[in-house]
Amino acid sequence: DKKKQIILLLAAVFFVILSAKRGAILLEFLFLFYYLYNTYLKGRISLGRILMVAVVLGIVAIIGCKIMVSNDYIYEKFIKTTEGYSSGRDTLAEDILSYVFGPKSSSMALFFGSGIGTSVNIAGNWAHNDWLEFISMSGLLGVFIYLKFYWSMWVIKRKCYLDQYSLIFTSAAMILFVMSFFSMAILVSTTNSY
């Protein structure tokens, strides 16, 4: 039932906004647009459908902005982002890549990594990027296995094409992949254990 799906999507948007994770909020809105386009517009564009999608996106944007503005913590995080604050991601990447590929790096660390928490030891913080986290803690082997994880999701999606779940599976895989570049998508439990 389409109405139930929309209600569940709006609830998901609400909870993602409350998480105060800027990347997750951005990806949630992109996913919502992707979902609405594929469900209501793709191949069946009409003025009524365009208006319905625009109304849903408008309601989500208005409610989302009201929640963000009324919560000082979320609002401050977004203001800091506009002022160029990136939680140190720019220097984190530089420090980690210098450690892994620099002149003091060992072949063993390059291929097998230096263990869990290496990015914290190197840069004083988690990498905020799964790819950097994997290369520092498990080397090129870890990056290869992580890449294989995404490749296997693509293969599964291609082999098991089910209209009912394909959009959800594809969306979840896309969200995880994009998040892996600027937020900890897979290694969240590792970062919370310290």
Side-chain angles (χ1 to χ4, degrees):
D1 174 65
K2 301 273 189 208
K3 288 181 184 178
K4 198 181 290 185
Q5 288 176 356
I6 294 292
I7 290 169
L8 288 172
L9 277 172
L10 293 177
V13 169
F14 174 75
F15 288 114
V16 168
I17 290 170
L18 290 181
S19 76
K21 300 290 286 173
R22 295 164 288 192
I25 292 168
L26 175 65
L27 284 173
E28 181 70 27
F29 282 105
L30 291 174
F31 164 72
L32 182 62
F33 178 77
Y34 175 77
Y35 173 81
L36 291 172
Y37 171 78
N38 278 293
T39 304
Y40 295 101
L41 296 177
K42 190 175 182 182
R44 306 178 305 243
I45 294 179
S46 71
L47 182 59
R49 288 176 179 271
I50 291 171
L51 286 174
M52 192 270 311
V53 168
V55 166
V56 170
L57 290 174
I59 289 170
V60 168
I62 289 168
I63 292 171
C65 286
K66 284 187 180 267
I67 291 170
M68 285 189 272
V69 170
S70 66
N71 183 308
D72 291 338
Y73 177 71
I74 297 172
Y75 182 73
E76 185 177 321
K77 283 184 85 168
F78 275 92
I79 292 299
K80 283 183 176 180
T81 301
T82 63
E83 294 171 351
Y85 177 73
S86 65
S87 303
R89 284 172 172 85
D90 48 351
T91 57
L92 287 169
E94 186 178 314
D95 292 346
I96 292 168
L97 291 174
S98 293
Y99 173 82
V100 172
F101 295 107
K104 294 181 182 179
S105 175
S106 70
S107 299
M108 202 69 156
L110 177 63
F111 289 105
F112 301 106
S114 300
I116 295 174
T118 301
S119 63
V120 175
N121 295 334
I122 296 166
N125 200 350
W126 296 99
H128 289 80
N129 176 318
D130 281 343
W131 301 94
L132 291 173
E133 198 66 46
F134 270 111
I135 199 154
S136 68
M137 76 175 189
S138 55
L140 292 173
L141 177 64
V143 170
F144 174 76
I145 292 169
Y146 192 46
L147 192 57
K148 187 79 172 141
F149 165 73
Y150 283 107
W151 177 254
S152 66
M153 283 200 291
W154 174 256
V155 169
I156 289 168
K157 188 234 182 259
R158 302 266 309 163
K159 285 184 178 179
C160 305
Y161 186 79
L162 303 170
D163 283 337
Q164 185 179 3
Y165 302 107
S166 181
L167 181 61
I168 294 167
F169 185 81
T170 303
S171 299
M174 286 172 32
I175 288 170
L176 277 176
F177 183 72
V178 172
M179 260 183 74
S180 72
F181 288 98
F182 60 86
S183 189
M184 304 294 269
I186 300 296
L187 295 172
V188 172
S189 63
T190 302
T191 62
N192 289 336
S193 66
Y194 268 73

